[in-house]
Amino acid sequence: HTWFLSIIQDEFRTGKIDLDSTMRLLEKFQMPFDFTHVKHVFRKTVDKRKTHTITIEDFRAIYRSIVHRHEFQELFRVYAPERKILTATELIEFLRKEQYQTEDCETTALEIILKYEPIEEVRKRRQLSFEGFIRYMSSEECSILKNDHRTIYQDMNHPLCDYFISSSHNTYLISDQLIGPSDLWGYTSALLKGCRCLEIDCWDGSDNEPVVYHGHTLTSKITFNSVIQVIDKYAFVVSDYPLVLSLENHCSPKQQEVMADYLESILGDKLLTSTIGGTEVTQLPSPEALKFKILVKNKKVGTIEESMLRRELDSHGETGEISDCEYLSDEDETDDKAPIYPKSGAVKRKIEYKPPATPRKKTKMKKIKIAIPLSDLVIYTKSQKFVSFEHSLINQKCYENNSIGETRARRFVKHAAKEFVSHTSRFITRIYPKGTRTNSSNYNPQEFWNVGCQMVALNFQTLGVQMELQNGKFLDNGGCGYILKPEFLRNQNSTFSPYNVGRYSKPMSLSIKLISGHQLPPSNLSKTNKADPLVQIEIYGVPEDQAKKKSSVVKSNALSPRWDETFSFAIQVPELALIRFCVQDEISLVANEFLGQYTLPLLSLNKG
């Protein structure tokens, strides 16, 4: 009581306090309070008396109704019968039985008491009051995400192709793909979310200044220079590991040189301009070896060895040519970049690219001119046209990467999953959304992670389940944007297929008890703080692990709904599985409204 009074008594010197003062005072307790819920509980208290202020006793009642959750009280009483405190011994028993902790329980118990017990005399006696217990139970330590997965814990010394890499598509767009704005915020925001592969669409601009925008559309333009300045500023704020700039290059050789100059002058030492160690590259370097480095992904003239020999020479004004064979019905790059508006002429017509139904056949060799200064900045991430898995196996070098459109990639997943896994165990493979997704919608990234694709590029500006899976997957390993692929997706002799996991299965049974919710967002239909919440638990992974289970609906309670329901799942390939919790408000028998979500890798789930 004295602890509680010592915090609040100054506020009540004048007798009573209003809603704003109540909110300010609650913040002193360093607990999460939702304004909507506090406002509602406050109103219920004052409405009885037709005033706008509350007494010190009212405040205590409001505090208790929000903070002293029944489910915490029930749990606390099991370990502290008849008493107001947990001794260190009782806390240790709680850690063993409820939190499944097996080692260092004594140390952990002491750390919990010293960190979370707010009442000094209880803390001095090395005990935990109910107030301390609440604070521990509401802390990060009791988060469903394993504590050690919040930091980098994986081996970062494997070659780059052994990792899933957080990747963004058309990073400069913050809305749709046709008429929306291009904005530097697209880059800042993706980097702050831990993204490690950004896309930059470059076109010739006026006054020899290359610009970035979605070509042949009405999206606005930003200068290449300003994009590189922003990248320089935010590249390593969230992660120390290498950042790849995937250039979609439509510039003339003259403006490509300008791009090369900007990359070198703005990024300075951060830009990787030569190989690490020897010039002969037989294996990609690791994220660890490339820390704080920015890599350019673009088409390249010749080999790394040749560009290393040119390093000391001035190659300004020099260009090289690349022959690129185009396939008529290959939607790999043609479909995605088909002009959505005609380039010239005021004829009003919609141009649609429909791939012919004929089998893939070679049509023409396309010559692409590349400025040597830009080409020489491409070291470990050389863009290489994808022909076939067989062709790559025979001809492709380890530093050559492929980009494959989602439609074609999906066909491979369906009809050639083992070959796809074999390919991604050797070469970095980037998947990108099909060109018809003009509203910036996303595909489900899980099906491409299942076959080991490293760079599964999504439209970061578009919220939804797909981006939620991306965010959930990359929570792992400290949110650094690199996640070590499971061994069966790294091993070049693997015969893994997501459709027939066979000997690669490590079955796991998962049991989740859904206990309660607390301070959930109220329904849009509610004038107070009510909702009719239900929880859907979803598993994403290989096809046979996909599952969805729903809780019952708790009527008109968003402050403290109780479910006490248990759900069980059998998982075959836990290494690839994600679990998503989605809370919805039942607004009618046929419709639910989204309230909130949280996704994380199955193997990052904390027990207890």
Side-chain angles (χ1 to χ4, degrees):
H1 290 302
T2 49
W3 164 78
F4 192 79
L5 283 172
S6 68
I7 294 174
I8 67 170
Q9 59 196 10
D10 280 1
E11 292 289 329
F12 286 96
R13 287 254 157 86
T14 53
K16 294 180 176 183
I17 62 170
D18 61 7
L19 178 59
D20 286 343
S21 303
T22 301
M23 204 59 212
R24 272 199 307 276
L25 190 48
L26 285 170
E27 280 165 9
K28 283 190 179 177
F29 288 91
Q30 294 175 324
M31 293 286 293
F33 289 101
D34 178 88
F35 181 71
T36 314
H37 287 293
V38 173
K39 183 172 75 178
H40 178 71
V41 178
F42 182 92
R43 291 254 164 90
K44 254 170 60 177
T45 309
V46 297
D47 282 356
K48 295 172 198 161
R49 300 191 222 112
K50 306 278 185 279
T51 64
H52 293 291
T53 54
I54 56 165
T55 64
I56 199 161
E57 276 313 311
D58 295 331
F59 180 83
R60 172 173 279 159
I62 290 171
Y63 174 84
R64 284 186 169 168
S65 69
I66 295 174
V67 175
H68 288 199
R69 296 164 61 177
H70 292 299
E71 61 272 38
F72 286 174
Q73 288 173 338
E74 289 161 24
L75 196 54
F76 188 75
R77 283 188 202 122
V78 172
Y79 294 91
E82 314 300 324
R83 288 206 308 285
K84 291 276 198 291
I85 53 126
L86 278 178
T87 62
T89 314
E90 288 159 349
L91 180 55
I92 288 164
E93 189 191 0
F94 167 82
L95 292 173
R96 287 202 173 115
K97 281 190 182 164
E98 302 292 339
Q99 307 297 57
Y100 300 98
Q101 195 169 324
T102 49
E103 48 201 45
D104 301 330
C105 289
E106 289 81 357
T107 316
T108 308
L110 188 59
E111 282 169 0
I112 289 170
I113 290 166
L114 294 175
K115 191 171 178 183
Y116 298 108
E117 179 48 61
I119 305 166
E120 198 181 345
E121 56 268 34
V122 179
R123 196 168 57 240
K124 278 183 180 158
R125 292 200 301 268
R126 301 289 186 258
Q127 293 172 336
L128 195 68
S129 67
F130 184 52
E131 291 289 347
F133 183 72
I134 292 168
R135 279 156 181 73
Y136 162 66
M137 290 299 292
S138 311
S139 74
E140 295 269 89
E141 285 181 51
C142 290
S143 158
I144 195 164
L145 176 65
K146 278 184 181 168
N147 231 350
D148 52 351
H149 286 204
R150 293 167 186 275
T151 53
I152 293 154
Y153 67 95
Q154 294 176 349
D155 183 353
M156 300 306 281
N157 293 297
H158 288 257
L160 277 181
C161 58
D162 281 1
Y163 297 83
F164 293 118
I165 302 168
S166 176
S167 304
S168 148
H169 171 250
N170 286 359
T171 317
Y172 48 89
L173 294 180
I174 54 169
S175 177
D176 65 82
Q177 310 270 318
L178 296 183
I179 55 174
S182 301
D183 200 294
L184 293 171
W185 173 247
Y187 290 96
T188 310
S189 130
L191 287 167
L192 293 177
K193 287 178 187 160
C195 184
R196 296 284 88 194
C197 177
L198 306 173
E199 188 177 20
I200 311 177
D201 274 24
C202 314
W203 299 79
D204 280 358
S206 50
D207 304 327
N208 209 25
E209 279 287 343
V211 290
V212 174
Y213 82 113
H214 200 194
H216 310 310
T217 69
L218 305 178
T219 57
S220 61
K221 299 179 170 88
I222 44 183
T223 65
F224 181 78
N225 179 330
S226 63
V227 169
I228 302 306
Q229 303 257 16
V230 164
I231 289 170
D232 177 59
K233 188 173 175 184
Y234 292 99
F236 301 107
V237 170
V238 169
S239 171
D240 301 349
Y241 290 104
L243 175 65
V244 177
L245 305 184
S246 182
L247 302 184
E248 170 120 358
N249 193 347
H250 304 273
C251 290
S252 60
K254 191 180 173 194
Q255 295 208 11
Q256 289 180 35
E257 279 209 11
V258 176
M259 287 164 59
D261 285 343
Y262 282 144
L263 286 164
E264 295 205 70
S265 61
I266 297 168
L267 300 176
D269 291 344
K270 295 184 188 126
L271 185 69
L272 187 78
T273 55
S274 65
T275 53
I276 294 171
T279 46
E280 202 184 335
V281 180
T282 53
Q283 183 183 323
L284 285 174
S286 68
E288 193 61 41
L290 292 169
K291 259 185 167 177
F292 301 112
K293 286 293 179 192
I294 296 176
L295 282 66
V296 174
K297 180 176 176 304
N298 191 51
K299 291 193 163 60
K300 181 177 179 67
V301 180
T303 64
I304 293 185
E305 291 81 10
E306 287 163 3
S307 55
M308 296 309 290
L309 290 172
R310 267 196 301 268
R311 282 203 65 202
E312 306 309 317
L313 309 169
D314 179 17
S315 53
H316 275 79
E318 285 184 47
T319 59
E321 270 192 354
I322 292 176
S323 298
D324 217 351
C325 48
E326 284 205 317
Y327 295 99
L328 250 182
S329 54
D330 169 350
E331 56 82 85
D332 187 12
E333 274 159 45
T334 33
D335 162 287
D336 191 41
K337 303 302 166 192
I340 293 147
Y341 295 111
K343 279 185 190 171
S344 59
V347 187
K348 272 196 177 170
R349 61 203 165 107
K350 187 177 170 198
I351 291 187
E352 278 186 6
Y353 173 87
K354 284 202 170 60
T358 52
R360 285 176 49 192
K361 57 178 190 277
K362 242 176 240 193
T363 51
K364 60 178 188 290
M365 297 296 276
K366 189 172 64 167
K367 292 262 193 267
I368 299 171
K369 279 193 160 60
I370 295 192
I372 295 296
L374 182 62
S375 169
D376 285 353
L377 293 181
V378 177
I379 310 293
Y380 296 117
T381 41
K382 175 184 174 182
S383 300
Q384 191 66 28
K385 184 88 176 171
F386 180 75
V387 179
S388 69
F389 293 140
E390 191 184 15
H391 181 272
S392 290
L393 202 55
I394 298 163
N395 301 292
Q396 199 161 317
K397 296 187 170 68
C398 68
Y399 57 82
E400 294 178 328
N401 322 145
N402 308 118
S403 281
I404 308 177
E406 65 165 293
T407 312
R408 190 176 177 198
R410 196 171 287 117
R411 285 202 298 270
F412 292 146
V413 171
K414 243 190 188 126
H415 305 296
K418 284 181 183 170
E419 292 83 349
F420 210 160
V421 169
S422 166
H423 180 83
T424 59
S425 69
R426 293 168 169 82
F427 309 111
I428 292 178
T429 305
R430 180 175 176 271
I431 310 295
Y432 58 84
K434 60 188 177 190
T436 49
R437 292 184 181 274
T438 51
N439 60 347
S440 298
S441 62
N442 281 314
Y443 51 80
N444 178 352
Q446 185 69 45
E447 57 184 324
F448 303 117
W449 290 329
N450 285 346
V451 290
C453 296
Q454 293 84 349
M455 296 178 168
V456 180
L458 295 179
N459 292 305
F460 270 47
Q461 74 274 31
T462 308
L463 301 174
V465 175
Q466 299 84 358
M467 234 359 251
E468 175 62 9
L469 296 180
Q470 155 81 21
N471 293 337
K473 186 168 188 71
F474 287 98
L475 271 182
D476 198 4
N477 205 27
C480 74
Y482 283 81
I483 288 168
L484 187 62
K485 299 199 287 184
E487 200 276 335
F488 54 78
L489 292 177
R490 307 194 307 259
N491 183 343
Q492 298 190 353
N493 301 315
S494 172
T495 57
F496 174 80
S497 160
Y499 292 101
N500 180 13
V501 297
R503 65 190 176 92
Y504 294 100
S505 168
K506 287 187 189 158
M508 174 189 274
S509 63
L510 171 69
S511 168
I512 290 185
K513 185 180 178 189
L514 172 67
I515 302 168
S516 63
H518 191 234
Q519 301 189 81
L520 301 179
S523 166
N524 281 341
L525 303 176
S526 170
K527 289 187 172 67
T528 58
N529 67 334
K530 300 277 193 282
D532 294 349
L534 65 111
V535 180
Q536 186 159 286
I537 301 177
E538 305 165 352
I539 306 284
Y540 293 84
V542 298
E544 70 178 294
D545 285 342
Q546 306 272 9
K548 280 185 185 176
K549 298 196 176 177
K550 250 187 189 146
S551 75
S552 58
V553 177
V554 175
K555 289 289 179 195
S556 56
N557 188 346
L559 174 60
S560 53
R562 275 299 280 271
W563 286 280
D564 290 319
E565 294 173 32
T566 302
F567 300 89
S568 298
F569 299 90
I571 316 284
Q572 298 307 310
V573 188
E575 301 96 322
L576 287 172
L578 295 172
I579 181 163
R580 174 175 182 248
F581 298 88
C582 181
V583 185
Q584 297 170 334
D585 174 35
E586 187 183 66
I587 50 177
S588 74
L589 288 174
V590 288
N592 295 334
E593 194 178 80
F594 174 84
L595 290 181
Q597 61 187 350
Y598 187 76
T599 305
L600 74 164
L602 188 78
L603 295 179
S604 298
L605 270 179
N606 220 346
K607 282 187 192 173

